[in-house]
Amino acid sequence: MTVVFFWLMKDTNFFLDKFGVRSLRYSLAKMLAAFYLQVSIISLALIFVTGSCSWSYVERPDLLLLGSSMIAQLVANTLAVYANRRFARIK
């Protein structure tokens, strides 16, 4: 799914046409920030799926897991929006 997201973001105008947002095709820093955020969300979903004993959509997650994942997602969103990291080319 990450590969499809990157392809849609880099080589097409899918998000511009469907959602009316600005295209990221010509801004590498913004593209990498969006890519980082998408990988963060996928990783968070993977934690919920692997942390359940039965079907992930049937079982309620523990409140500690829910709280820690919300904090982790808040940090990831803050980094994706406000971080200025030269090594990751995120501005």
Side-chain angles (χ1 to χ4, degrees):
M1 200 65 204
T2 302
V3 174
V4 173
F5 174 76
F6 188 74
W7 172 74
L8 286 171
M9 180 176 54
K10 186 176 184 304
D11 293 335
T12 68
N13 284 328
F14 175 78
F15 296 106
L16 178 66
D17 296 339
K18 297 295 180 189
F19 302 110
V21 295
R22 280 187 253 141
S23 177
L24 302 177
R25 292 172 77 175
Y26 306 108
S27 175
L28 181 63
K30 290 180 182 177
M31 219 169 25
L32 289 175
F35 188 67
Y36 166 77
L37 190 57
Q38 194 269 343
V39 169
S40 170
I41 292 169
I42 292 296
S43 299
L44 185 63
L46 184 64
I47 290 171
F48 277 108
V49 169
T50 58
S52 60
C53 295
S54 70
W55 295 102
S56 61
Y57 55 86
V58 174
E59 193 172 289
R60 188 188 80 143
D62 186 32
L63 290 178
L64 187 60
L65 176 64
L66 189 63
S68 64
S69 63
M70 289 172 69
I71 291 170
Q73 195 60 44
L74 181 66
V75 170
N77 286 348
T78 304
L79 285 175
V81 173
Y82 297 113
N84 187 3
R85 302 287 179 205
R86 282 189 224 169
F87 67 90
R89 293 189 210 141
I90 294 177
K91 289 183 182 178

